[in-house]
Amino acid sequence: MIARLLAPLVAALAFALPAQAQIEIQEVTSPGGIEAWLVQDNSIPFLAIDLWFGGGGSLDDPDARGATYLMTGLLEEGAGDMDASAFAAAVEGLATSFEFDIYRDDLIVSATMLTQNRDEAVALLREALINPTFEDVAVERVRGQVLSIIQSDMTDPDTIASTTFNELAYGDHPYGSRLEGTLDSIAALTRDDLVAAHRRALVRDRVAVGVAGDITPEELGALLDTLLGDLPLSNMDQPGPAPVDLAGGVTVVDFPTPQSSVFFGHTGIARDDPDFFPAFVLNQVLGAGGFRSRLMAEVREARGLTYGISTWLGLSRSAPMMQGGFSSSNDLVAQAIEVVQAEWADIAENGISEAELEAAQRYLTGAYPLRFDGNGRIAGILAAMQSDDMPLDYIATRNDNVMAVTVEDVRRVAARLVQPENLHFVVVGQPEGLEASN
């Protein structure tokens, strides 16, 4: 149905290259002016297309939260003169696949197809994008699925923690609302709401296109106009920056469970910031490096306070954040939070060591080429790069940028980025000995 987690920032390519990923990306503009990035590979008769429509769930009308989420789940539930069953049979008959996913900032469509069926598959996908039926029976079936998801999430401590954090941090901005909407908002959505969400989300002037496989630039140009040329132009702006109104401290949500779920964070760094790569390395050392990270070493290995803990750089367009999460038994969670706070303060003041830098660089540069394993993932990263306004040579220069980071760079960026005094924890459970600031 609809993917519920944030889309990964990186994908992989089909070439097993040792230290650097070196591929030829061609910029293609269709006769109608639609742009795409292409990696042409004629070795197998197969094509992958990724479409990233900017705006995503953030385009919801305030009175119709969850409309884009529900609408996305209906794009494969009938199109043109086909109902859901006929559409599914047509997809299967062509040995093609379509995926429709919705996130905060993007609605993502991924398609794979055989060269011999390309024209028919593109025509079918076009119907899904331009002429979805939103039939009552399909709407009610998918509405029921979404309501079930929301009801399940209301009993999931991890989801409660992240949802509460977002509400506290972002307030009335769309990021402060659940992407899926609420029980009341989903129940109240009408077909007109879905049609309006479709009109806002699927527009040709706000789409990033990545293509990989068996197609020439000339063929791709014609394909783009066929697939996307009849989509409308956008009729509203994307949401602006989300002011993060969240002071340091602890919020406790009482929930009957033996283990508390913790979500924590503060403002972060944008993807296009000149200091992004030092921040990237810093986060790897602090909490993104699994058992190689400081937080795993101190919170799990040294003290046994959690099974796992991680941090990440949240790169949402309207509010970059530095965040993390873990779970711990109610009697240990207060101690675990103290350790996180201490490690946050230490790295802010002292940065990282030369040995930590070298280990992070070795992993980040060595693991990168190993992720390059298919045309579908190539198409995804090409679209993601455009969506994030990344340069055409990012893949070729990414490892060089990682290796250029110095200990001094990380120390300088840590002093700016890591904010112990603003670190806020949301704890869902019944923690013992933990004083809440709410």
Side-chain angles (χ1 to χ4, degrees):
M1 181 20 212
I2 302 172
R4 301 173 57 207
L5 300 177
L6 293 177
L9 296 174
V10 292
L13 309 173
F15 305 94
L17 301 176
Q20 296 270 89
Q22 299 175 3
I23 61 170
E24 181 184 355
I25 302 175
Q26 302 179 69
E27 296 180 272
V28 176
T29 301
S30 76
I34 299 171
E35 298 179 351
W37 287 4
L38 166 68
V39 171
Q40 185 176 350
D41 176 12
N42 304 116
S43 62
I44 55 174
F46 176 81
L47 184 68
I49 303 171
D50 250 46
L51 310 171
W52 287 46
F53 294 92
S58 295
L59 298 176
D60 274 347
D61 187 287
D63 296 325
R65 295 299 190 198
T68 309
Y69 187 92
L70 178 57
M71 181 275 296
T72 303
L74 288 160
L75 291 177
E76 58 185 337
E77 297 291 333
D81 60 0
M82 295 171 284
D83 62 13
S85 296
F87 185 84
V91 172
E92 183 178 355
L94 292 172
T96 190
S97 70
F98 303 146
E99 294 183 7
F100 304 91
D101 298 316
I102 180 68
Y103 305 101
R104 270 181 177 174
D105 291 328
D106 297 281
L107 191 161
I108 299 176
V109 180
S110 301
T112 58
M113 59 199 68
L114 299 173
T115 301
Q116 67 189 52
N117 296 333
R118 187 174 69 206
D119 291 345
E120 295 91 339
V122 167
L124 191 61
L125 180 58
R126 178 190 178 280
E127 288 295 289
L129 297 179
I130 294 176
N131 297 312
T133 56
F134 300 136
E135 290 183 337
D136 289 345
V137 62
V139 170
E140 294 311 313
R141 180 176 63 254
V142 178
R143 190 199 307 270
Q145 294 170 356
V146 175
L147 290 172
S148 178
I149 289 170
I150 296 172
Q151 288 174 325
S152 176
D153 284 348
M154 291 170 65
T155 63
D156 177 60
D158 289 342
T159 303
I160 296 170
S162 61
T163 298
T164 302
F165 185 95
N166 292 342
E167 291 172 349
L168 293 171
Y170 307 125
D172 293 334
H173 190 277
Y175 285 4
S177 301
R178 283 177 53 93
L179 180 69
E180 302 88 346
T182 66
L183 293 176
D184 289 342
S185 70
I186 292 297
L189 291 176
T190 67
R191 188 180 187 279
D192 287 343
D193 293 323
L194 301 177
V195 171
H198 177 265
R199 173 63 182 83
R200 289 191 298 265
L202 295 172
V203 293
R204 70 175 183 270
D205 57 328
R206 207 158 55 206
V207 61
V209 184
V211 181
D214 184 25
I215 193 169
T216 66
E218 294 74 22
E219 291 170 332
L220 177 56
L223 182 154
L224 293 172
D225 285 343
T226 297
L227 181 61
L228 303 172
D230 290 332
L231 285 173
L233 298 174
S234 56
N235 62 356
M236 66 175 292
D237 294 332
Q238 298 185 65
V244 179
D245 184 18
L246 189 64
V250 178
T251 296
V252 175
V253 179
D254 183 72
F255 191 81
T257 176
Q259 181 168 271
S260 291
S261 291
V262 183
F263 193 101
F264 58 92
H266 56 56
T267 55
I269 188 168
R271 177 64 189 79
D272 59 356
D273 191 291
D275 284 331
F276 175 78
F277 278 100
F280 183 49
V281 172
L282 164 69
N283 182 59
Q284 177 73 14
V285 173
L286 177 60
F291 285 97
R292 295 171 299 275
S293 72
R294 286 192 186 183
L295 289 179
M296 278 287 277
E298 295 300 324
V299 182
R300 171 177 165 151
E301 296 301 301
R303 297 172 177 83
L305 302 176
T306 184
Y307 180 78
I309 182 171
S310 63
T311 63
W312 56 89
L313 298 177
L315 299 177
S316 296
R317 293 191 190 104
S318 295
M321 300 290 284
M322 187 172 185
Q323 298 172 310
F326 67 93
S327 296
S328 184
S329 61
N330 285 329
D331 60 328
L332 297 177
V333 67
Q335 184 183 352
I337 287 175
E338 289 180 358
V339 177
V340 173
Q341 290 171 324
E343 290 301 317
W344 219 262
D346 180 74
I347 206 166
E349 181 178 355
N350 301 310
I352 65 176
S353 69
E354 196 72 50
E356 287 175 320
L357 172 65
E358 291 176 1
Q361 290 173 321
R362 184 165 57 250
Y363 174 79
L364 291 171
T365 57
Y368 187 59
L370 302 180
R371 300 170 181 171
F372 302 163
D373 65 353
N375 281 340
R377 303 187 76 182
I378 298 171
I381 198 171
L382 295 180
M385 287 169 62
Q386 296 167 78
S387 179
D388 288 340
D389 294 322
M390 295 162 70
L392 195 69
D393 66 350
Y394 173 81
I395 295 170
T397 61
R398 182 264 196 190
N399 278 1
D400 290 339
N401 286 324
V402 172
M403 292 304 298
V405 174
T406 66
V407 167
E408 290 73 23
D409 291 330
V410 175
R411 183 175 294 114
R412 172 179 53 79
V413 173
R416 165 197 168 193
L417 175 65
V418 183
Q419 307 163 33
E421 70 283 2
N422 291 325
L423 188 59
H424 195 97
F425 295 82
V426 173
V427 182
V428 178
Q430 296 178 328
E432 301 174 12
L434 182 64
E435 184 176 349
S437 56
N438 59 327

